Amino acid sequence: MSKVTLIKPRTSRVEIPFYEPKVPAGFPSPATEYLGDTLDLNEYLIHNKTATFFAKVEGDSMTGAGIFEGDLLVIDRSRNPRHNSIVVAVIDNEFTVKRLCTRDGIELRPENPAYQPIRISGETEMQIWGVVTSIVRKL
């Protein structure tokens, strides 16, 4: 199971130079040396400052969704969770990240076949804590 550790984002602003042309992942293109505007990652990743948190992922239950151990999740608590959203949920007082499925009842599904879905029944205490909006990963 993938667990998360919560981190509150800082409010300081850091602008990083932004290379405007797209960088091809296929054959190299002729070098163009122009920098565009600047990019503030807080502005790019965070849409609602007061409701946004970061969380560090522990575990491998979401690798099929491109979420790996050590990744930082950007979680917006103001977004309404919908069917197929990737959410951070609290189950029996423990945080986890899973895909929310609401078609036939409520289920939290891992994105790794080694794990079983968590079916939410009357006996399970569960709260959707927020919706994952982005993933940040160091290479």
Side-chain angles (χ1 to χ4, degrees), residues 4 6 48 50-55 62 67 73-91 94-101 108 126-134:
V4 293
L6 299 176
N48 185 339
T50 59
T52 300
F53 289 81
F54 294 122
M62 293 300 289
I67 299 172
L73 303 177
V74 181
I75 304 157
D76 189 335
R77 295 198 68 197
S78 69
R79 291 215 178 168
N80 288 325
R82 297 189 174 135
H83 175 72
N84 253 356
S85 295
I86 295 177
V87 299
V88 170
V90 181
I91 301 174
E94 212 171 290
F95 286 100
T96 188
V97 58
K98 298 285 181 280
R99 186 171 302 277
L100 176 66
C101 295
L108 296 174
M126 190 270 302
Q127 174 189 5
I128 302 296
W129 200 79
V131 176
V132 175
T133 59
S134 300

Side-chain angles (χ1 to χ4, degrees), residues 8-59:
K8 181 70 178 154
R10 292 185 181 157
T11 57
S12 60
R13 184 177 171 99
V14 176
E15 292 185 355
I16 299 168
F18 181 62
Y19 183 72
E20 206 164 308
K22 293 180 180 173
V23 179
F27 292 104
S29 65
T32 53
E33 292 194 27
Y34 44 123
L35 289 175
D37 204 353
T38 59
L39 174 66
D40 179 340
L41 291 177
N42 284 330
E43 190 175 299
Y44 182 72
L45 296 173
I46 299 171
H47 300 286
N48 185 339
K49 273 193 259 189
T50 59
T52 300
F53 289 81
F54 294 122
K56 195 166 204 169
V57 176
E58 177 187 328

Side-chain angles (χ1 to χ4, degrees), residues 105-117:
I106 298 174
E107 201 171 71
L108 296 174
R109 293 187 183 160
E111 295 281 339
N112 181 334
Y115 296 91
Q116 294 297 311

